[in-house]
Amino acid sequence: MIRRPRRLRTNEMIRSMVRETHLGIDSLVYPMFVIEGKKIKKEIPSMPGNYHFSVDTLVEEVKTLIDLGLKKILLFGIPKFKDEIASEAYNPNGIVQRAIRELKRNFGDSIYIITDVCLCEYTSTGHCGMIKDQRIDNDSTLPLLSKTALSHVEAGADMVAPSDMMDGRIAHMRRVLDENGFEFIPIMAYSAKYASAYYGPFREAADSAPHFGDRKSYQMDPANGKEALLEVKLDLEEGADIVMVKPALAYLDVIKKVKEISDVPVAAYNVSGEYSMLKMAINQGLIGKDVIQETLIAIKRAGADIIITYFAKEILEKGIL
Ligand SMILES: [Zn+2]
């Protein structure tokens, strides 16, 4: 007798019955960029199909997303000016804070707003931390990150997502949020965030490329898998509610390992370079758009509970799910 696995592949009816991994709208988060100004909706050249929105057009876009059924966003801000102490990051009237208030005023609980908490879009150096003696100083950065997170939450953010990779920031942020009565706000930690070339298009989108040096003294070495588990363990000890691996595609093994040790949900960030690579190839007719679903399913199969992806809107618009 020969085993015949093909029996269960005969038609879509049976295939769907035995399918192991499902991609659902509930697990998708859509990253968005908000900028100063009015009536602006400007396509980001390196990320076709993604835009810079001013607050007013962001509200319009989010209305469209809600109508499509996409209700979770990850918000990034591009401020009007940058300085050494990233003051626009925690300005109560900064771009992200105003965007959150406007979205909540219009949509209330119909939109779930996660905010990226970092300083690199706001520092004149383009680094994620404060500079001391030519180094990215860890401990003097923590209060500014927590202050930024608090200002987002005070504006109405539902969740904060620190992406800076400073040591000890989750514990610091948790304490500051709790002390201010926000013990119910979850923290999604960018736990295993690698110093990756796949962030290239994002840096154009967020205008956050470092002006000197690189981020290798705080983001992780792509060669290290075990170290990701240490980062995850520390973030869990410090109180992270969700842990994240970023990027996703070149790190599927890391997602799998993190899933095995984590007792909280695991998020994966399908980053800008991963998006643009596929998008450009699809636009040029080199590969079919089915590659989007195949890619996201792979991330899910590796163990991600939540996928942050620039494809989220397109997936719903084109009925890819
Ligand atoms: Zn940063």
Side-chain angles (χ1 to χ4, degrees):
M1 189 202 65
I2 52 169
R3 292 282 308 266
R4 297 185 188 276
R6 286 187 55 198
R7 285 187 200 114
L8 301 186
R9 294 175 207 148
T10 305
N11 56 38
E12 178 54 20
M13 203 74 96
I14 182 74
R15 285 193 298 269
S16 65
M17 194 159 77
V18 299
R19 190 160 291 141
E20 297 172 32
T21 313
H22 295 271
L23 196 60
I25 181 173
D26 289 335
S27 54
L28 300 182
V29 175
Y30 188 45
M32 300 185 84
F33 301 95
V34 63
I35 59 169
E36 298 283 351
K38 280 204 172 77
K39 297 203 181 340
I40 301 169
K41 181 185 175 184
K42 208 171 124 222
E43 191 167 42
I44 300 163
S46 57
M47 300 171 69
N50 283 269
Y51 298 84
H52 282 143
F53 294 99
S54 51
V55 175
D56 51 345
T57 57
L58 180 76
V59 169
E60 284 166 24
E61 179 72 0
V62 167
K63 169 85 176 69
T64 309
L65 297 179
I66 293 172
D67 291 344
L68 282 169
L70 184 57
K71 296 174 180 174
K72 291 141 203 155
I73 61 168
L74 175 61
L75 197 57
F76 293 87
I78 296 116
K80 55 177 178 282
F81 71 89
K82 301 166 188 266
D83 59 20
E84 277 179 12
I85 52 166
S87 36
E88 279 299 292
Y90 40 85
N91 176 355
N93 289 311
I95 183 65
V96 165
Q97 292 82 351
R98 272 185 286 130
I100 298 167
R101 277 199 296 272
E102 233 5 65
L103 290 173
K104 283 295 174 184
R105 197 173 62 78
N106 280 275
F107 308 115
D109 289 340
S110 300
I111 185 74
Y112 193 87
I113 305 174
I114 307 168
T115 56
D116 180 85
V117 177
C118 198
L119 305 180
C120 50
E121 290 112 280
Y122 303 90
T123 49
S124 42
T125 61
H127 275 291
C128 305
M130 295 296 96
I131 313 289
K132 222 185 223 176
D133 304 329
Q134 308 288 344
R135 284 186 309 109
I136 315 302
D137 188 59
N138 196 89
D139 294 6
S140 63
T141 301
L142 302 185
L144 298 187
L145 289 166
S146 295
K147 208 170 154 180
T148 303
L150 180 61
S151 76
H152 291 176
V153 170
E154 282 174 339
D158 297 290
M159 182 191 286
V160 287
S163 61
D164 50 281
M165 288 302 278
M166 297 299 121
D167 295 331
R169 90 273 210 217
I170 303 300
H172 196 285
M173 200 168 286
R174 184 70 272 161
R175 184 166 49 74
V176 169
L177 291 178
D178 290 358
E179 281 168 3
N180 285 276
F182 292 110
E183 70 287 345
F184 54 91
I185 295 288
I187 298 177
M188 174 162 69
Y190 286 67
S191 300
K193 182 178 179 181
Y194 287 89
S196 170
Y198 283 99
Y199 306 147
F202 176 93
R203 289 189 183 157
E204 177 186 327
D207 185 24
S208 64
H211 295 179
F212 67 89
D214 52 40
R215 297 202 168 102
K216 291 178 183 166
S217 75
Y218 43 106
Q219 295 179 351
M220 285 180 53
D221 182 339
N224 294 358
K226 244 195 277 177
E227 191 186 353
L229 303 184
L230 170 64
E231 286 284 2
V232 165
K233 272 186 220 152
L234 293 173
D235 283 354
L236 289 173
E237 280 167 22
E238 291 180 31
D241 299 282
I242 296 172
V243 291
M244 191 202 295
V245 176
K246 180 185 182 183
L249 273 190
Y251 299 87
L252 293 176
D253 58 320
V254 178
I255 296 173
K256 189 167 166 52
K257 281 185 200 154
V258 166
K259 179 65 180 170
E260 280 162 10
I261 66 150
S262 170
D263 54 5
V264 303
V266 176
Y269 201 139
N270 177 218
V271 301
S272 58
E274 300 170 8
Y275 170 83
S276 298
M277 245 176 6
L278 295 188
K279 190 70 185 169
M280 304 282 189
I282 294 167
N283 286 352
Q284 289 186 34
L286 299 174
I287 39 176
K289 70 174 169 49
D290 287 353
V291 74
I292 299 173
Q293 188 172 18
E294 184 177 335
T295 301
L296 297 181
I297 280 280
I299 297 169
K300 201 87 202 273
R301 197 184 62 234
D305 301 291
I306 299 161
I307 303 175
I308 301 161
T309 178
Y310 299 97
F311 283 116
K313 183 185 177 193
E314 181 175 349
I315 284 173
L316 291 166
E317 273 179 332
K318 298 197 174 148
I320 293 174
L321 272 186

